[in-house]
Amino acid sequence: MESLAVTAVSAVVSADEQVAYLVTDTAYYDAAGIVTQLRSKVTVSPSLRIAIAGSGCVDLNDVARACETSATTEEVLRRLPAITSGIRDRNDRGNPTGRINGHNDLMLFVAMWSEQRHRAEAWVVASSQAYLGSQYTPFTLAAIMALSSPPVADDVFAAGVTASAAATALREQRAWSLANDGLCFVGGWGELTSVGAGGIDQEKVATWPDRIGRPIATAG
């Protein structure tokens, strides 16, 4: 059975616009909630200073290829709406029912340093209005300062995107997943990705006792 990807993502830009952050979990799972892989869900290009994560039914191979074949960060960004559309079309062909119940939808979250605008930025592109609301046009880029999926408390990143704040956000998202889905889909370990003018840093910010071949643990 195909693995599903990211459930927990937060994208945040620092108040001084010098760093953009992604906070993600690392558990891939099947439709029954059984862990199939534990690995990073963030595609990074250190040379272009861009990091991209996904939420929903998403395979990031197309995103990785775009990073490898683009000359600039802006080129990668421009290609993401078409990539999102292509992934959604592929999902629909593979699972026609998922087109109706929303299981084929996805979002891509971007943290990047813009050499053109001399600032850190975060962007999102989605295949539907389900999470971003009726004001959003599907398959278009939207600039954001802070967005989390699933949602977290408004004050989690109020004092900045620290390792402690990132871990708190992931714990909230893990609890939200269990309460709303009946199964927990956030797990493995937490990863904080920071993108700025000096490059990309990644650090582990939380761990859980999840194991491949088992459901995600509901404790912790």
Side-chain angles (χ1 to χ4, degrees), residues 2 5 56-63 83 87 90-91 106 108:
E2 183 179 2
C57 189
V58 53
D59 180 344
L60 292 176
N61 286 332
D62 292 339
V63 174
I83 289 171
I87 295 172
R90 190 162 59 239
N91 292 345
L106 66 139
L108 297 180

Side-chain angles (χ1 to χ4, degrees), residues 52-66 75-93 104-110 123-129 132 136-142:
I52 304 169
S55 182
C57 189
V58 53
D59 180 344
L60 292 176
N61 286 332
D62 292 339
V63 174
R65 282 191 290 271
E75 182 181 349
V76 177
L77 192 65
R78 288 194 299 270
R79 292 172 68 177
L80 291 181
I83 289 171
T84 304
S85 179
I87 295 172
R88 171 58 194 270
D89 286 346
R90 190 162 59 239
N91 292 345
D92 288 345
R93 292 194 298 271
N104 292 350
D105 282 324
L106 66 139
M107 293 190 288
L108 297 180
F109 292 78
V110 181
W123 297 82
V124 64
V125 56
S127 63
S128 75
Q129 297 176 324
L132 299 178
Y136 174 73
T137 301
F139 306 110
T140 63
L141 288 162

Side-chain angles (χ1 to χ4, degrees), residues 146-171:
L147 181 66
S148 295
S149 171
V152 300
D154 292 340
D155 62 352
V156 167
F157 299 115
V161 185
T162 61
S164 176
T168 297
L170 287 164
R171 283 193 292 267

